[in-house]
């Protein structure tokens, strides 16, 4: 077993988690991605560029049903790219096995352990 600190820098940077996860995450050498906490959601990085957020929406919605962020959807409001991207990115992440790499989105995705749901907008968790 190797620790996260011995993995390449690129992998270390791609595993951004907001939580009280222990500093050292054990990694199996055959599976270089650490085991994630039981409940995780994928959201858009607040510092992501608008064009990247729109690209993430377009990509995710070409693969999964994004009716939640359509005009009559439960997650349409607030009508912002960061909000819509977060919902779409999470739907994609959840529907593709909740693997850390399914939330990478070119560095514009963040994995969080606090449910980002709000009001009538419930973030999917499979």
């Amino acid at each position: 077993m190797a620790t996260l600190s011995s993995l390449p820098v690129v992998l270390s940077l791609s595993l951004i988690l907001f939580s009280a996860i222990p500093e050292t995450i054990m990694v199996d050498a055959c599976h270089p991605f650490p085991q994630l906490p039981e409940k995780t959601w994928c959201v858009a990085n607040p510092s992501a560029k608008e064009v990247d957020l729109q690209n993430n929406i377009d990509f995710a919605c070409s693969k999964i049903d994004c009716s939640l962020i359509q005009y009559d959807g439960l997650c349409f409001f607030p009508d912002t790219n960061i909000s819509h991207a977060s919902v779409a990115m999470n739907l994609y992440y959840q529907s593709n096995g909740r693997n850390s790499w399914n939330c990478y989105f070119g560095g514009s995705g963040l994995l969080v352990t606090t449910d980002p749901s709000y009001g009538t907008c419930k973030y999917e968790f499979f």
Side-chain angles (χ1 to χ4, degrees), residues 22-45:
E23 266 186 49
T24 301
I25 299 174
M26 298 307 289
V27 178
D28 182 328
C30 295
H31 303 284
F33 294 95
Q35 174 108 19
L36 296 173
E38 189 170 316
K39 287 189 175 186
T40 54
W41 293 265
C42 179
V43 296
N45 185 330

Side-chain angles (χ1 to χ4, degrees), residues 44-59 81-82 85 89 105-106 108:
N45 185 330
S47 66
K49 296 177 184 174
E50 286 292 315
V51 67
D52 293 333
L53 296 174
Q54 187 60 55
N55 287 338
N56 293 349
I57 293 168
D58 294 343
F59 171 78
N81 270 353
I82 192 159
M89 292 162 67
F105 290 95
S108 62

